[in-house]
Amino acid sequence: MARSMLVISRQAPWSGPSAREALDIVLAGGAFELPLGLLFLDDGVFQLAAAQQPAQLEQKDLTANLQALPLFGVESLYAARRSLAERGLDEQALPLSVEVLDDIGLSALINRYDHVITI
Amino acid sequence: MKFAIALFASPHSPAARRALRFAEATLAGGHEIVRLFFYQDGVHSASANVVAAQDEPDVAAEWSRFVSANRLDGVVCIAAGLRRGVLDEGEAQRYRRPAANLAAGWELSGLGQLHEAAQQADRLVCFGGH
């Protein structure tokens, strides 16, 4: 059976290439139909903010790529409730369908995966 | 045990030294390294152009010797490498850059290599993530 991998994306989309590069790992694995999950944690939840204007920073918009994840076979998307709350993001108003987890849920999630990569 | 080892941080970070010492200890302990995979700023440790101060360890050079001497499968993510100017001869020609700088022992390839290594290894050990 294929080994599962959880990618934990912890960086804001404007902080450098990390958000993009975490997403690229997930997209590459999705192409191989591997069991993958993507968790938005800490500043990573800013990737889920609505109405971003990355062009102001001469950056590309990741939002469309995130929304394409289910098309790549990646449907296990998670966000940390505490991270969202700390940053004033309304979990009911996220532009992406993610499962919002509390701290106990996070720990169970991480334990479920064979491999974990944090970026 | 079979290990896949991934490095995400730059050659002057403590994580790059830890990854190298871990890889050495893996082989010394009789284990197997199925693949080394350098991603994000980790790709700089596969550059032949890194110059360390005389009284500091030359981690990039040590990596190159380690990979070559042990005939390891050392892969640098091509997209992360291009973005940061770590090029082999083929990519330098393709993008008309004046020089290639990928150190001996390494090859550029895609993220699929990370996933393949994770499938083959008992443990994927990452260094320098955030």
Side-chain angles (χ1 to χ4, degrees), chain A residues 4-12 17-26 36-45 47 80 83 106 109-111 113-119, chain B residues 5-9 15 18 37 39-42 111 114-115 118 124-130:
Chain A
S4 58
M5 179 187 286
L6 177 68
V7 176
I8 304 181
S9 187
R10 289 190 59 231
Q11 304 297 314
S18 283
R20 165 89 245 175
E21 290 182 327
L23 180 59
D24 283 345
I25 294 179
V26 177
L36 286 158
L38 175 59
L39 165 65
F40 299 93
L41 181 71
D42 297 329
D43 278 355
V45 297
Q47 295 171 49
S83 305
L106 287 184
L109 176 77
I110 291 166
N111 277 328
Y113 283 85
D114 296 315
H115 297 306
V116 177
I117 291 183
T118 305
I119 278 186
Chain B
I5 299 172
L7 175 62
F8 303 133
R18 278 200 297 273
F37 191 87
Y39 192 50
Q40 297 207 284
D41 286 350
L111 274 168
L114 173 63
H115 286 292
L124 166 65
V125 186
C126 302
F127 292 86
H130 292 284

Side-chain angles (χ1 to χ4, degrees), chain B residues 23-112:
Chain B
E24 290 168 344
T26 300
L27 295 187
H31 301 289
E32 182 187 344
I33 297 175
V34 298
R35 181 166 292 147
L36 296 159
F37 191 87
F38 283 6
Y39 192 50
Q40 297 207 284
D41 286 350
V43 302
H44 292 300
S45 281
S47 165
N49 280 353
V50 176
V51 179
Q54 277 189 352
D55 56 352
E56 291 173 15
D58 191 343
V59 175
E62 281 192 60
W63 271 117
S64 180
R65 283 195 297 271
F66 177 74
V67 171
S68 298
N70 295 291
R71 298 174 169 274
L72 295 176
D73 185 355
V75 175
V76 176
C77 174
I78 187 164
L82 289 176
R83 196 175 273 148
R84 294 168 176 85
V86 178
L87 310 178
D88 64 8
E89 289 289 348
E91 297 309 307
Q93 279 173 22
R94 187 197 316 273
Y95 294 101
R96 301 182 183 199
R97 293 301 187 265
N101 60 338
L102 188 70
W106 294 99
E107 66 171 313
L108 297 176
S109 191
L111 274 168

Side-chain angles (χ1 to χ4, degrees), chain B residues 10-19 127:
Chain B
S10 62
H12 44 83
S13 68
R17 295 192 293 276
R18 278 200 297 273
F127 292 86

Side-chain angles (χ1 to χ4, degrees), chain A residues 79-100:
Chain A
R81 173 162 289 134
R82 186 207 289 259
S83 305
L84 289 165
E86 283 172 349
R87 288 158 184 82
L89 293 171
D90 179 1
E91 62 180 76
Q92 305 298 329
L94 301 177
L96 189 68
S97 178
V98 297
E99 187 179 341
V100 179

Side-chain angles (χ1 to χ4, degrees), chain A residues 33-113:
Chain A
E33 299 185 353
L34 294 171
L36 286 158
L38 175 59
L39 165 65
F40 299 93
L41 181 71
D42 297 329
D43 278 355
V45 297
F46 281 126
Q47 295 171 49
L48 302 172
Q52 296 176 37
Q53 298 179 324
Q56 304 271 356
L57 294 175
E58 300 181 46
Q59 286 194 352
K60 283 196 286 189
D61 195 348
L62 283 184
T63 314
N65 303 70
L66 291 176
Q67 281 164 346
L69 280 168
L71 301 176
F72 284 81
V74 182
E75 288 165 347
S76 303
L77 305 174
Y78 309 93
R81 173 162 289 134
R82 186 207 289 259
S83 305
L84 289 165
E86 283 172 349
R87 288 158 184 82
L89 293 171
D90 179 1
E91 62 180 76
Q92 305 298 329
L94 301 177
L96 189 68
S97 178
V98 297
E99 187 179 341
V100 179
L101 298 171
D102 59 19
D103 289 357
I104 294 168
L106 287 184
S107 139
L109 176 77
I110 291 166
N111 277 328
R112 262 208 323 272
Y113 283 85

